[in-house]
Amino acid sequence: MTIRVTQPGLSTTVQDLGRPGYFHLGIPISGGMDRFALRAANLLVGNDEGAAVLEAVFMGPALEFTVDAIVAVTGAEMTPKVDDQLRETWTSFAVKAGQILSFEILKSGARAYIAIAGGIDVPMALGSRSTYSLGGLGGHEGRALVVDDELSLGQAGLGAKSGIHIAPKLRRSPGNPAELRMLPGLYWHRVTDVSGRNFFDDTWQVAPEADRIGYRFRGGRKLEFVDREQPFGAGSDPSNIVDGCYPYGSVQVPGGTEPIVLHRDAVSGGGYFMLGTVISADMDLIGQLQPHTATRFIEVTLEGAMKARRGRQNLLDELRASLD
Amino acid sequence: MKTRYSFGGDEHIFVEVDEQMSLEAFFKSLSMTNAVRSSAITGVIEICPSNASFQIKFNPDVITPAEMLSVLEEIEEKASHTDHNLDTRIIEIPVYYQDPWTHETLMRFRERHQDPKVTDIEYAARINGYDRVEGFIDAHSGSPWFVSMVGFVAGLPFMYQMVDRSKQIQVPKYLSPRTDTPKLTIGYGGCFSCIYSVRGAGGYQMFGITPMPIYDPNQEVSYLKDFMVFFNPGDIVKFKPIDRATYDRIVADVNAGLYEPKIRPVTFSLDDFQKDIDGTNQKLLDVLQ
């Protein structure tokens, strides 16, 4: 009941829906960056939506199966292969004991979710199987997979079968340019009105420094700050604040130059001001952005954020219904 | 001090108790987060206190953002009428100042420092008006510190010096962050001291190292078996300078599962502290004797 890693890919980690409840101690939620795709992959193989899967970024791993299994790959377009026979993404398929699952090169998106019926059975750490690499916690030995790692599988459900498919209209992927809706707030008042408008007007590009902790963007105009005497304890740069908590999705701009959107492995706090927060409905999209992708930040109200949230929940309900 | 509320997207509310750091702001933040925790509000997912602000993560499908805001405003109203006492613990943290490991690291990143010709602690001593490093170490290890935030990365405490603002140590961060910091480094940036819980990048000045692990995801360290993170916001810390021999002995004790951190329960009164800082601190430190 195991799979063996014959090639690890670029950075492949075990992830589920994460471990809420410990951010006040600096331990972030972790879990799949694209939760929608993670849930979809699990549903395709008959797992609970939150079962542990593999998240592979930019490049897929190669995995040798020692047991027959049902597998599905969602998220990024990275065509799966079983012993060099191509399989479809967003569609469950069978892998037999002794066969190797590997991947073609990435065509679009950034992160593929590889669900195996039964789920990846690593030990629970603080209520989750997700990997938090920075803290060496959870997943397989608290780190990304390396060659010759062996992963146990849980017991597959009775419903697991090949050929289950999710229609393209039920998938989500970022547009071009990608649009991320942001609720202004937090320390928005630190920048001038002109800079605030520029931030939304400019087209940004995803920087190479983009990972599970956060995505950095560049290419927009530098932000100008409202003059003030820096408060005690804040540090001398106008982009500094007294160290505070960082929300998931918050957009900090150190030095006013390159915005960073914090993601599932977020640092929990620090001393940089934040312009606002990317809304929960659009966090999954960030997980599918490749470096250099053109990106716009779109201003949204709290009402708009709640509406988008319901829209995303409705899509998930449709997806569930389509597989019933 | 004027409390400012702001929504962090649809799942967070950010509460800034004050723009500037002070013990009063931290205390108000901590008492409000304690009140939120004891109220056990349905829909609240995370309660994160920090230095002069705090953050609540909530599920807006269970409690609407407007409801969340009004609950917090009620709690703020109540918090302003409560006494400023905190039942907490004081912990002695052994520190090997000017150790060889942080020294090797700071020498590797000298070009990122404001003053490459001297070490981090020599620089910090000078700009804070101490003629000698020994005097600076006496100041750093002489007063108690409040753990005002645990975070950035897993288990890392930010500590605020419990002295009059005029005596507070302040240092800038590195000009550009290092890509490496030894695990358990005692760091300093702005007006905060910290202990790096894991090895990794960092921008704080490095003064020394503690032999006492504060984060253990494998939960093998004897005093971290119940929970992997040692610190909680509201803990009080006293640094104790140690030499190499003591450092080595504690490391051996930790590895053998024999080391027990020195921890005593204390009650801290903000009112007493404001009336008599030195006297209040002395009482706190006496508890450790």
Side-chain angles (χ1 to χ4, degrees):
Chain A
M1 293 281 283
T2 62
I3 51 173
R4 190 173 71 83
V5 177
T6 60
Q7 282 172 40
L10 203 59
S11 177
T12 304
T13 52
V14 177
Q15 300 293 348
D16 56 18
L17 290 173
R19 60 172 67 77
Y22 304 94
F23 209 31
H24 66 294
L25 299 173
I27 300 174
I29 189 163
S30 301
M33 284 185 72
D34 182 351
R35 287 187 196 149
F36 188 86
L38 181 147
R39 288 177 191 270
N42 274 321
L43 287 169
L44 282 169
V45 298
N47 287 347
D48 287 343
E49 285 177 28
V53 306
L54 297 180
E55 178 184 271
V57 59
F58 303 144
M59 187 193 284
L63 307 167
E64 184 184 347
F65 283 66
T66 64
V67 62
D68 294 355
I70 301 295
V71 176
V73 178
T74 62
E77 274 307 309
M78 211 187 269
T79 307
K81 296 183 288 188
V82 177
D83 281 354
D84 292 331
Q85 296 283 311
L86 298 183
R87 295 288 182 270
E88 272 183 72
T89 55
W90 299 88
T91 306
S92 62
F93 55 88
V95 181
K96 298 234 170 292
Q99 288 187 314
I100 290 187
L101 171 67
S102 62
F103 293 84
E104 296 275 272
I105 60 162
L106 178 70
K107 282 187 287 204
S108 66
R111 285 174 177 77
Y113 292 84
I114 306 160
I116 304 170
I120 309 287
D121 187 20
V122 293
M124 291 281 240
L126 301 179
S128 164
R129 295 186 168 86
S130 289
T131 311
Y132 167 47
S133 301
L134 198 56
L137 179 67
H140 181 72
E141 299 180 1
R143 56 164 172 79
L145 300 181
V146 298
V147 170
D148 287 339
D149 279 344
E150 292 209 16
L151 299 171
S152 296
L153 301 177
Q155 187 67 46
L158 295 172
K161 60 178 179 186
S162 60
I164 312 282
H165 180 69
I166 290 174
K169 73 175 170 77
L170 294 174
R171 307 172 193 171
R172 281 185 91 215
S173 57
N176 187 17
E179 294 190 342
L180 301 176
R181 286 167 287 188
M182 186 189 98
L183 178 69
L186 306 173
Y187 289 86
W188 173 262
H189 57 275
R190 289 293 302 122
V191 299
T192 63
D193 293 347
V194 172
S195 271
R197 279 196 300 277
N198 291 348
F199 175 77
F200 287 119
D201 286 345
D202 287 343
T203 299
W204 301 81
Q205 276 84 38
V206 177
E209 301 90 343
D211 60 21
R212 292 186 44 83
I213 298 170
Y215 260 59
R216 186 185 283 257
F217 296 84
R218 57 177 59 145
R221 279 166 281 186
K222 187 173 192 284
L223 301 176
E224 301 292 337
F225 291 90
V226 174
D227 280 337
R228 70 164 176 184
E229 187 183 333
Q230 284 292 96
F232 177 78
S236 54
D237 191 273
S239 69
N240 286 150
I241 56 168
V242 170
D243 291 48
C245 300
Y246 289 154
Y248 296 106
S250 62
V251 184
Q252 56 178 269
V253 196
T257 54
E258 297 183 343
I260 299 168
V261 183
L262 291 178
H263 219 274
R264 312 277 186 223
D265 284 1
V267 291
S268 67
Y272 290 112
F273 93 107
M274 298 157 277
L275 276 178
T277 309
V278 172
I279 64 175
S280 65
D282 288 351
M283 287 291 281
D284 288 347
L285 295 178
I286 296 175
Q288 296 301 351
L289 298 180
Q290 295 177 5
H292 312 301
T293 305
T295 306
R296 295 278 311 276
F297 292 92
I298 309 295
E299 185 172 3
V300 71
T301 60
L302 188 54
E303 292 68 34
M306 291 301 290
K307 195 174 164 211
R309 181 183 181 87
R310 282 189 295 274
R312 192 175 160 282
Q313 285 163 348
N314 291 342
L315 187 68
L316 189 57
D317 286 341
E318 263 186 74
L319 176 99
R320 289 172 183 140
S322 81
L323 295 173
D324 273 348
Chain B
M1 278 201 328
K2 169 132 176 44
T3 306
R4 187 170 67 82
Y5 295 87
S6 182
F7 288 106
D10 47 324
E11 295 188 338
H12 308 85
I13 185 160
F14 182 91
V15 185
E16 185 188 67
V17 173
D18 199 356
E19 261 197 337
Q20 59 177 330
M21 181 58 194
S22 66
L23 210 50
E24 291 75 12
F26 163 66
F27 223 78
K28 185 168 175 188
S29 156
L30 189 68
S31 40
M32 281 185 73
T33 51
N34 284 342
V36 175
R37 189 168 291 111
S38 59
S39 309
I41 302 155
T42 310
V44 166
I45 300 168
E46 307 261 14
I47 302 166
C48 303
S50 70
N51 300 304
S53 59
F54 67 93
Q55 173 181 303
I56 307 291
K57 182 170 190 236
F58 61 97
N59 180 346
D61 305 327
V62 177
I63 180 166
T64 67
E67 285 166 346
M68 192 69 238
L69 175 61
S70 74
V71 167
L72 288 177
E73 283 171 339
E74 268 171 49
I75 284 172
E76 187 194 357
E77 176 63 26
K78 278 186 211 148
S80 58
H81 300 302
T82 55
D83 59 358
H84 294 141
N85 286 341
L86 176 71
D87 289 321
T88 180
R89 53 182 192 164
I90 186 164
I91 304 147
E92 186 175 271
I93 302 289
V95 181
Y96 180 17
Y97 289 94
Q98 298 184 286
D99 65 288
W101 304 283
T102 59
H103 185 79
E104 185 277 329
T105 309
L106 69 90
M107 293 309 287
R108 253 194 293 147
F109 293 99
R110 221 62 219 128
E111 80 289 353
R112 301 183 188 213
H113 197 272
Q114 289 83 354
D115 190 348
K117 292 199 187 68
V118 297
T119 64
D120 292 9
I121 200 167
E122 286 165 352
Y123 169 74
R126 191 187 74 222
I127 66 167
N128 282 280
Y130 294 89
D131 297 337
R132 294 160 50 85
V133 167
E134 288 71 20
F136 180 79
I137 292 174
D138 287 347
H140 190 260
S141 60
S143 72
W145 298 71
F146 242 117
V147 175
S148 50
M149 178 172 174
V150 178
F152 182 61
V153 295
L156 183 154
F158 287 84
M159 289 161 286
Y160 186 66
Q161 197 178 13
M162 294 165 65
V163 292
D164 188 74
R165 187 176 282 185
S166 62
K167 292 186 194 163
Q168 227 153 13
I169 298 167
Q170 285 199 76
V171 293
K173 298 171 188 174
Y174 269 47
L175 295 176
S176 112
R178 296 175 304 272
T179 52
D180 193 17
T181 310
K183 188 170 141 181
L184 298 176
T185 290
I186 307 299
Y188 214 104
C191 64
F192 297 106
S193 204
C194 82
I195 306 173
Y196 283 88
S197 52
V198 295
R199 185 178 174 180
Y204 276 27
Q205 309 278 342
M206 298 184 290
F207 295 166
I209 200 160
T210 175
M212 186 187 139
I214 58 166
Y215 171 67
D216 178 17
N218 300 317
Q219 292 182 269
E220 285 159 359
V221 172
S222 55
Y223 55 87
L224 296 173
K225 278 192 166 49
D226 288 340
F227 194 66
M228 62 184 69
V229 171
F230 182 76
F231 283 107
N232 278 302
D235 284 342
I236 296 174
V237 165
K238 162 76 169 63
F239 296 116
K240 183 189 183 187
I242 56 168
D243 58 13
R244 175 67 189 259
T246 310
Y247 177 89
D248 289 341
R249 184 178 54 74
I250 295 177
V251 168
D253 285 353
V254 168
N255 291 338
L258 300 172
Y259 185 73
E260 282 303 323
K262 197 170 186 182
I263 304 172
R264 302 285 182 271
V266 287
T267 300
F268 173 80
S269 156
L270 183 62
D271 300 334
D272 290 353
F273 180 83
Q274 283 164 332
K275 274 181 225 140
D276 177 10
I277 295 178
D278 292 342
T280 308
N281 282 351
Q282 195 52 53
K283 275 186 206 150
L284 285 172
L285 299 182
D286 285 347
V287 174
L288 279 174
Q289 296 313 311

